[in-house]
Amino acid sequence: MTTLPMARRLPAEFADLEPFAAKWCLPTEHERYHTRLASTMDEMQALYDAAKPRVEGAMVYLEKLPFDALPEDAVNLLHLVYSTIQVSFPVEVWRQPRVPDTGSASFDCFIEPVP
């Protein structure tokens, strides 16, 4: 396995998810949404299959840390959880990256979750 720069590293307990880090550890909703739209269903399914069973454990891990001072690897893990949520409806329900029957409609998020 290649070593990722710290900017995309995950806590050691979640190192098995690092193959998804470069693409999916994104700090903003805008980036996560646009990555979803630019991804194939196979890419989203792979993230979902690997990360969804680990989300509860990730939340338990993150809840033990000070939310206003998360280490960088923990912030990356949180961003990966956010991306897993972002792909959940396309994978579970729609079977496509876009919301069905929305045409060219889009939305912009002006308030981001913190961190």
Side-chain angles (χ1 to χ4, degrees):
M1 177 183 342
T2 59
T3 303
L4 292 171
M6 186 57 183
R8 298 290 193 216
R9 296 288 308 266
L10 298 175
E13 297 91 323
F14 299 93
D16 59 304
L17 297 175
E18 283 187 352
F20 301 98
K23 181 168 183 161
W24 295 104
C25 289
L26 302 169
T28 68
E29 176 74 19
H30 181 79
E31 290 172 289
R32 290 185 292 273
Y33 180 70
H34 287 283
T35 298
R36 181 184 97 189
L37 294 180
S39 296
T40 66
M41 285 306 301
D42 287 341
E43 291 169 320
M44 288 188 287
Q45 187 73 55
L47 169 65
Y48 182 84
D49 289 347
K52 179 165 183 304
R54 306 292 310 281
V55 167
E56 187 175 339
M59 296 311 298
V60 168
Y61 175 87
L62 292 166
E63 287 172 356
K64 295 176 184 175
L65 301 172
F67 195 67
D68 59 347
L70 288 175
E72 188 172 0
D73 61 347
V75 171
N76 290 336
L77 179 60
L78 183 60
H79 291 161
L80 191 65
V81 168
Y82 291 160
S83 288
T84 303
I85 294 165
Q86 183 69 247
V87 303
S88 65
F89 261 76
V91 168
E92 293 176 358
V93 181
W94 305 323
R95 303 300 307 152
Q96 64 183 25
R98 292 193 167 274
V99 178
D101 302 320
T102 58
S104 62
S106 66
F107 70 92
D108 291 313
C109 182
F110 294 102
I111 299 174
E112 292 288 330
V114 177

